[in-house]
């Protein structure tokens, strides 16, 4: 098969980019694979891409930022999508042209707005696979309403958790569309796993409010008070950097907590630790949790929707604590810090249990879904033939989203009139 990924910006940093590169490179073992990057803002990607995967940008912002069409708002990309402000008539045009001329057997969209393009503009012979890297609950009623209309023309929709797949099936009513959870994969480690002796807790990700690194730092203060020789290393960059640095100073933790900056790949940093940590309020999947576990680190995480609970077996290969509970997070970290044998036992379990997120099982599932979608397209039939259940429930959710969208629109008109 020839497989194309449609990606927002392959030259940036983020979980969707990471997992797209991982899956593309694994599929390239047996298929022809390309990544179409809608935007480009630098010469080379931040992540190294396997030379067997071709990379094709559509709009180079270094040269086309002031293009007349790029100064006009997008018409196809949904206005209610988070990235709408970065799209334009120029991106609409280039995406449409790329889809119209593709020779791929299957095209995979990697965010809601691109899935809308794919569903409506891919040629009849192309299998259309949409990916959801966030969650249905994360989208506004206006966007969910737009996706209901567009996604019925997809062949397959994948989510990163079973919980979100169930939510899509129950609430969206997508007859003929295969909705299935396809977790993100993490490449097999090349370095020896952590041995659990380093007195280091490691966390990684974007330094943004939802990740709650402030909560993690405050929880770690209890660890440092009892074990002054332990460190917390936080990898990543983002808007919370200065506030976190001030918090570290206010708590007197400058000798124990370190903001390490971004690191790619992270494997060499995970293996220097003994415990992984995540404190987010919301985590669609939990890529860094899997990365840490594949390097032999048990992970202490908040039990936020939806990912951590589908990755961590509480008390076996890590700990799950209530969202926003600083004391519970501190207690779970201290439990592992205090007990060397428990930490080593959980480390072994983390290595074993995280193997299900290795490229092999995930790629095998992806290949099956793609093959079924391509075969169905060629036969002129839907991938799913049975009548969808829960029609009344789905209609109820659709009606509620429409009502919320209408109420939001009316409120905007009132506010505009007052201003």
């Amino acid at each position: 098969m020839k497989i194309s990924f449609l990606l927002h910006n392959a030259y940036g940093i983020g979980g969707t980019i990471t997992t797209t590169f991982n899956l593309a490179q694994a599929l390239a073992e047996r298929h022809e694979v390309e990544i179409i990057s809608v935007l480009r803002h630098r010469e080379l990607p931040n992540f190294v891409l396997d030379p067997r995967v071709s990379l094709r940008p559509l709009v180079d912002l270094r040269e086309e930022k002031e293009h007349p069409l790029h100064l006009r708002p997008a018409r196809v990309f949904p206005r209610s999508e988070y990235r709408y402000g970065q799209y334009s008539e120029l991106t609409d045009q280039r995406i449409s042209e790329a889809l119209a001329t593709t020779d791929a057997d299957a095209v995979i969209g990697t965010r809601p707005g691109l899935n809308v393009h794919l569903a409506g503009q891919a040629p009849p012979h192309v299998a259309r696979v949409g990916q959801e890297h966030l969650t249905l609950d994360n989208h506004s009623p206006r966007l969910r309403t737009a996706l209901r209309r567009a996604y019925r023309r997809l062949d397959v929709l994948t989510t990163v958790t079973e919980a979100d797949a169930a939510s899509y099936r129950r609430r969206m009513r997508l007859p003929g569309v295969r909705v299935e959870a396809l977790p993100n994969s993490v490449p097999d480690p090349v370095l020896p796993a952590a041995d659990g002796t380093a007195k280091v807790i490691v966390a990684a990700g974007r330094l943004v409010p939802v990740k709650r690194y402030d909560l993690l730092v405050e929880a770690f203060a209890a660890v440092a008070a009892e074990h002054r020789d332990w460190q917390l290393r936080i990898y990543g960059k983002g808007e919370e950097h200065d506030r976190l640095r001030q918090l570290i100073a206010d708590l007197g933790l400058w000798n124990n907590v370190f903001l390490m900056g971004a690191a790619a790949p992270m494997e060499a940093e995970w293996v220097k630790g003994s415990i992984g940590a995540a404190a987010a309020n919301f985590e669609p999947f939990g890529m860094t949790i899997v990365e840490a576990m594949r390097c032999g680190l048990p992970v202490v995480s908040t039990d936020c929707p939806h990912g951590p609970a589908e990755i961590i077996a509480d008390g076996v290969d890590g700990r799950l604590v209530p969202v926003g509970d600083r004391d519970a997070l501190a207690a779970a970290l201290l439990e592992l810090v205090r007990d060397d044998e428990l930490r080593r036992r959980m480390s072994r379990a983390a290595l074993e249990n995280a193997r299900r997120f290795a490229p092999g099982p995930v790629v095998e599932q992806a290949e099956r879904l793609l093959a079924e979608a391509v075969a169905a397209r060629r036969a002129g039939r839907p991938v799913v033939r049975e009548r969808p259940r829960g029609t009344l429930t789905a209609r109820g959710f659709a009606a509620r989203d429409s009502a919320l969208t209408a109420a939001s629109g009316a409120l905007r008109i009132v506010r505009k009139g007052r201003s």
Side-chain angles (χ1 to χ4, degrees):
M1 281 186 290
K2 179 171 182 180
I3 303 161
S4 291
F5 289 84
L6 187 58
L7 186 62
H8 169 65
N9 188 342
Y11 298 82
I13 293 177
T16 300
I17 300 168
T18 302
T19 192
T20 298
F21 276 39
N22 288 346
L23 182 57
Q25 290 169 173
L27 288 169
E29 294 277 351
R30 291 185 291 276
H31 306 280
E32 183 182 353
V33 182
E34 71 168 347
I35 294 175
I36 300 172
S37 178
V38 177
L39 301 178
R40 177 185 191 174
H41 68 286
R42 65 199 306 267
E43 183 62 27
L44 297 173
N46 282 287
F47 302 114
V48 177
L49 185 63
D50 190 307
R52 293 173 299 181
V53 179
S54 62
L55 176 59
R56 176 160 59 103
L58 300 182
V59 176
D60 193 331
L61 296 176
R62 298 172 301 172
E63 301 171 359
E64 298 181 293
K65 191 174 183 179
E66 301 302 320
H67 190 291
L69 290 180
H70 196 55
L71 300 178
R72 300 178 188 172
R75 297 182 179 182
V76 179
F77 195 91
R79 185 179 295 273
S80 49
E81 223 266 36
Y82 171 70
R83 294 284 186 184
Y84 177 76
Q86 294 175 260
Y87 285 74
S88 65
E89 280 195 24
L90 183 62
T91 58
D92 279 356
Q93 181 186 89
R94 298 280 173 83
I95 295 169
S96 176
E97 291 171 353
L99 290 172
T101 58
T102 186
D103 61 348
D105 298 295
V107 176
I108 302 172
T110 57
R111 63 176 307 111
L114 297 179
N115 294 340
V116 169
H117 272 280
L118 174 61
Q121 296 178 326
H125 70 276
V126 173
R128 308 166 187 193
V129 179
Q131 290 183 337
E132 173 62 85
H133 287 279
L134 292 174
T135 69
L136 184 59
D137 286 339
N138 189 249
H139 302 321
S140 68
R142 184 178 296 275
L143 181 56
R144 288 197 295 264
T145 299
L147 299 185
R148 266 188 197 91
R149 292 193 296 266
Y151 279 12
R152 293 177 184 181
R153 295 190 293 273
L154 293 174
D155 297 296
V156 174
L157 176 66
T158 67
T159 63
V160 291
T161 63
E162 292 288 352
D164 199 41
S167 185
Y168 263 97
R169 295 187 199 107
R170 185 177 73 254
R171 298 169 58 183
M172 293 294 277
R173 192 170 177 264
L174 303 173
V177 180
R178 170 73 59 82
V179 179
E180 191 168 318
L182 179 70
N184 295 332
S185 70
V186 172
D188 296 324
V190 297
L191 299 173
D195 61 11
T197 60
K199 297 180 178 182
V200 177
I201 298 171
V202 182
R206 293 177 298 122
L207 306 185
V208 293
V210 72
K211 298 296 186 180
R212 291 306 308 273
Y213 289 108
D214 58 331
L215 186 77
L216 178 58
V217 171
E218 291 170 355
F220 180 79
V223 176
E226 185 177 310
H227 300 271
R228 297 298 300 178
D229 52 347
W230 274 76
Q231 295 181 1
L232 170 63
R233 299 177 185 174
I234 300 174
Y235 292 84
K237 59 184 180 180
E239 63 193 73
E240 288 281 278
H241 180 274
D242 292 347
R243 193 169 80 87
L244 290 171
R245 184 170 59 183
Q246 185 60 53
L247 177 61
I248 292 165
D250 291 344
L251 295 175
L253 295 173
W254 48 81
N255 289 325
N256 297 88
V257 181
F258 302 94
L259 301 178
M260 307 293 291
M266 265 294 296
E267 183 183 342
E269 310 309 322
W270 289 122
V271 298
K272 296 173 185 175
S274 291
I275 302 169
N281 288 341
F282 167 76
E283 195 67 78
F285 179 66
M287 193 72 166
T288 59
I289 296 174
V290 177
E291 288 178 355
M293 291 173 66
R294 295 222 71 199
C295 290
L297 274 64
V299 178
V300 176
S301 172
T302 48
D303 189 11
C304 60
H306 286 287
E310 293 193 14
I311 301 171
I312 297 170
D314 188 31
V316 177
D317 51 24
R319 290 299 316 278
L320 293 169
V321 302
V323 174
D325 192 331
R326 180 191 61 197
D327 294 339
L329 184 59
L333 290 170
L334 277 167
E335 180 185 18
L336 287 173
V337 167
R338 290 169 179 160
D339 192 332
D340 293 346
E341 177 52 35
L342 175 65
R343 199 166 63 246
R344 284 192 288 268
R345 186 167 68 249
M346 283 193 175
S347 172
R348 292 192 293 270
L351 274 174
E352 179 63 29
N353 294 346
R355 285 178 182 166
R356 69 189 190 276
F357 300 107
V362 175
V363 171
E364 183 178 321
Q365 183 185 359
E367 285 181 316
R368 173 180 57 79
L369 286 171
L370 289 166
E372 290 176 4
V374 169
R377 271 281 157 186
R378 289 174 178 170
R381 58 172 174 79
V383 180
V384 179
R385 300 191 192 190
E386 66 269 18
R387 182 182 177 86
R389 291 171 288 180
T391 299
L392 290 177
T393 301
R395 285 177 178 169
F397 280 111
R400 189 177 68 175
D401 283 344
S402 295
L404 289 171
T405 299
S408 175
L411 184 59
R412 280 199 301 271
I413 292 171
V414 170
R415 287 174 175 169
K416 187 176 181 179
R418 286 176 179 174
S419 61

mmCIF file of all heavy atoms in Angstrom, residues 74-89:
data_model
loop_
_atom_site.group_PDB
_atom_site.id
_atom_site.type_symbol
_atom_site.label_atom_id
_atom_site.label_comp_id
_atom_site.label_asym_id
_atom_site.label_seq_id
_atom_site.Cartn_x
_atom_site.Cartn_y
_atom_site.Cartn_z
ATOM 1 N N ALA A 74 -9.708 30.702 6.328
ATOM 2 C CA ALA A 74 -10.058 29.418 5.714
ATOM 3 C C ALA A 74 -11.568 29.270 5.602
ATOM 4 O O ALA A 74 -12.322 29.794 6.421
ATOM 5 C CB ALA A 74 -9.485 28.281 6.554
ATOM 6 N N ARG A 75 -11.987 28.541 4.571
ATOM 7 C CA ARG A 75 -13.410 28.285 4.365
ATOM 8 C C ARG A 75 -13.770 26.824 4.596
ATOM 9 O O ARG A 75 -14.919 26.520 4.926
ATOM 10 C CB ARG A 75 -13.813 28.694 2.954
ATOM 11 C CG ARG A 75 -13.654 30.189 2.678
ATOM 12 C CD ARG A 75 -14.122 30.520 1.269
ATOM 13 N NE ARG A 75 -14.001 31.955 0.983
ATOM 14 C CZ ARG A 75 -14.374 32.517 -0.168
ATOM 15 N NH1 ARG A 75 -14.878 31.760 -1.124
ATOM 16 N NH2 ARG A 75 -14.226 33.815 -0.357
ATOM 17 N N VAL A 76 -12.812 25.926 4.406
ATOM 18 C CA VAL A 76 -13.076 24.492 4.586
ATOM 19 C C VAL A 76 -12.717 24.059 6.001
ATOM 20 O O VAL A 76 -13.511 23.395 6.670
ATOM 21 C CB VAL A 76 -12.294 23.651 3.557
ATOM 22 C CG1 VAL A 76 -12.563 22.156 3.772
ATOM 23 C CG2 VAL A 76 -12.661 24.065 2.141
ATOM 24 N N PHE A 77 -11.539 24.415 6.441
ATOM 25 C CA PHE A 77 -11.089 24.069 7.794
ATOM 26 C C PHE A 77 -12.081 24.689 8.789
ATOM 27 O O PHE A 77 -12.361 25.881 8.733
ATOM 28 C CB PHE A 77 -9.684 24.630 8.024
ATOM 29 C CG PHE A 77 -8.969 24.046 9.212
ATOM 30 C CD1 PHE A 77 -8.162 22.933 9.066
ATOM 31 C CD2 PHE A 77 -9.101 24.607 10.474
ATOM 32 C CE1 PHE A 77 -7.482 22.394 10.159
ATOM 33 C CE2 PHE A 77 -8.438 24.075 11.569
ATOM 34 C CZ PHE A 77 -7.628 22.965 11.405
ATOM 35 N N PRO A 78 -12.659 23.905 9.702
ATOM 36 C CA PRO A 78 -13.732 24.426 10.562
ATOM 37 C C PRO A 78 -13.282 25.550 11.495
ATOM 38 O O PRO A 78 -12.233 25.459 12.131
ATOM 39 C CB PRO A 78 -14.186 23.187 11.348
ATOM 40 C CG PRO A 78 -13.096 22.192 11.204
ATOM 41 C CD PRO A 78 -12.401 22.471 9.923
ATOM 42 N N ARG A 79 -14.106 26.568 11.554
ATOM 43 C CA ARG A 79 -13.805 27.744 12.368
ATOM 44 C C ARG A 79 -13.688 27.389 13.856
ATOM 45 O O ARG A 79 -12.958 28.025 14.602
ATOM 46 C CB ARG A 79 -14.888 28.802 12.163
ATOM 47 C CG ARG A 79 -14.642 30.127 12.869
ATOM 48 C CD ARG A 79 -15.759 31.103 12.584
ATOM 49 N NE ARG A 79 -15.807 31.474 11.169
ATOM 50 C CZ ARG A 79 -15.094 32.472 10.647
ATOM 51 N NH1 ARG A 79 -14.309 33.195 11.423
ATOM 52 N NH2 ARG A 79 -15.185 32.743 9.364
ATOM 53 N N SER A 80 -14.417 26.383 14.288
ATOM 54 C CA SER A 80 -14.422 26.008 15.702
ATOM 55 C C SER A 80 -13.240 25.139 16.100
ATOM 56 O O SER A 80 -13.101 24.770 17.270
ATOM 57 C CB SER A 80 -15.724 25.267 16.025
ATOM 58 O OG SER A 80 -15.980 24.241 15.065
ATOM 59 N N GLU A 81 -12.367 24.794 15.147
ATOM 60 C CA GLU A 81 -11.177 23.995 15.440
ATOM 61 C C GLU A 81 -10.102 24.875 16.060
ATOM 62 O O GLU A 81 -9.903 26.030 15.655
ATOM 63 C CB GLU A 81 -10.669 23.340 14.146
ATOM 64 C CG GLU A 81 -10.248 21.892 14.303
ATOM 65 C CD GLU A 81 -8.760 21.718 14.567
ATOM 66 O OE1 GLU A 81 -8.186 22.569 15.276
ATOM 67 O OE2 GLU A 81 -8.188 20.732 14.058
ATOM 68 N N TYR A 82 -9.383 24.310 17.031
ATOM 69 C CA TYR A 82 -8.371 25.049 17.798
ATOM 70 C C TYR A 82 -7.353 25.759 16.915
ATOM 71 O O TYR A 82 -6.941 26.888 17.195
ATOM 72 C CB TYR A 82 -7.676 24.069 18.755
ATOM 73 C CG TYR A 82 -6.461 24.617 19.454
ATOM 74 C CD1 TYR A 82 -6.578 25.604 20.431
ATOM 75 C CD2 TYR A 82 -5.184 24.136 19.142
ATOM 76 C CE1 TYR A 82 -5.453 26.100 21.082
ATOM 77 C CE2 TYR A 82 -4.061 24.630 19.786
ATOM 78 C CZ TYR A 82 -4.208 25.602 20.749
ATOM 79 O OH TYR A 82 -3.089 26.097 21.393
ATOM 80 N N ARG A 83 -6.936 25.136 15.834
ATOM 81 C CA ARG A 83 -5.870 25.681 14.990
ATOM 82 C C ARG A 83 -6.396 26.575 13.864
ATOM 83 O O ARG A 83 -5.628 26.968 12.984
ATOM 84 C CB ARG A 83 -5.070 24.537 14.361
ATOM 85 C CG ARG A 83 -4.283 23.695 15.359
ATOM 86 C CD ARG A 83 -3.046 24.407 15.824
ATOM 87 N NE ARG A 83 -2.217 23.567 16.666
ATOM 88 C CZ ARG A 83 -1.108 23.969 17.284
ATOM 89 N NH1 ARG A 83 -0.720 25.231 17.127
ATOM 90 N NH2 ARG A 83 -0.416 23.160 18.031
ATOM 91 N N TYR A 84 -7.667 26.923 13.888
ATOM 92 C CA TYR A 84 -8.275 27.651 12.767
ATOM 93 C C TYR A 84 -7.489 28.896 12.369
ATOM 94 O O TYR A 84 -7.324 29.190 11.181
ATOM 95 C CB TYR A 84 -9.719 28.044 13.106
ATOM 96 C CG TYR A 84 -10.389 28.863 12.022
ATOM 97 C CD1 TYR A 84 -10.838 28.263 10.849
ATOM 98 C CD2 TYR A 84 -10.543 30.248 12.160
ATOM 99 C CE1 TYR A 84 -11.441 29.002 9.844
ATOM 100 C CE2 TYR A 84 -11.152 30.996 11.162
ATOM 101 C CZ TYR A 84 -11.594 30.377 10.011
ATOM 102 O OH TYR A 84 -12.178 31.112 9.012
ATOM 103 N N GLY A 85 -6.980 29.640 13.330
ATOM 104 C CA GLY A 85 -6.266 30.883 13.032
ATOM 105 C C GLY A 85 -5.013 30.694 12.203
ATOM 106 O O GLY A 85 -4.517 31.654 11.591
ATOM 107 N N GLN A 86 -4.489 29.474 12.130
ATOM 108 C CA GLN A 86 -3.291 29.207 11.338
ATOM 109 C C GLN A 86 -3.618 28.733 9.923
ATOM 110 O O GLN A 86 -2.711 28.512 9.124
ATOM 111 C CB GLN A 86 -2.428 28.167 12.064
ATOM 112 C CG GLN A 86 -1.871 28.677 13.389
ATOM 113 C CD GLN A 86 -1.139 27.578 14.132
ATOM 114 O OE1 GLN A 86 -1.657 26.970 15.051
ATOM 115 N NE2 GLN A 86 0.094 27.326 13.733
ATOM 116 N N TYR A 87 -4.908 28.582 9.636
ATOM 117 C CA TYR A 87 -5.327 28.112 8.318
ATOM 118 C C TYR A 87 -5.920 29.263 7.512
ATOM 119 O O TYR A 87 -6.254 30.316 8.051
ATOM 120 C CB TYR A 87 -6.293 26.936 8.463
ATOM 121 C CG TYR A 87 -5.559 25.670 8.845
ATOM 122 C CD1 TYR A 87 -5.068 25.497 10.138
ATOM 123 C CD2 TYR A 87 -5.296 24.691 7.906
ATOM 124 C CE1 TYR A 87 -4.350 24.368 10.482
ATOM 125 C CE2 TYR A 87 -4.582 23.553 8.234
ATOM 126 C CZ TYR A 87 -4.105 23.398 9.530
ATOM 127 O OH TYR A 87 -3.379 22.282 9.854
ATOM 128 N N SER A 88 -6.034 29.064 6.225
ATOM 129 C CA SER A 88 -6.382 30.169 5.334
ATOM 130 C C SER A 88 -6.923 29.627 4.021
ATOM 131 O O SER A 88 -6.985 28.408 3.809
ATOM 132 C CB SER A 88 -5.126 31.003 5.052
ATOM 133 O OG SER A 88 -4.167 30.211 4.330
ATOM 134 N N GLU A 89 -7.283 30.538 3.127
ATOM 135 C CA GLU A 89 -7.673 30.105 1.779
ATOM 136 C C GLU A 89 -6.524 29.403 1.081
ATOM 137 O O GLU A 89 -6.728 28.494 0.265
ATOM 138 C CB GLU A 89 -8.134 31.306 0.950
ATOM 139 C CG GLU A 89 -9.554 31.747 1.228
ATOM 140 C CD GLU A 89 -10.087 32.680 0.149
ATOM 141 O OE1 GLU A 89 -9.582 32.620 -0.988
ATOM 142 O OE2 GLU A 89 -10.998 33.467 0.445
#
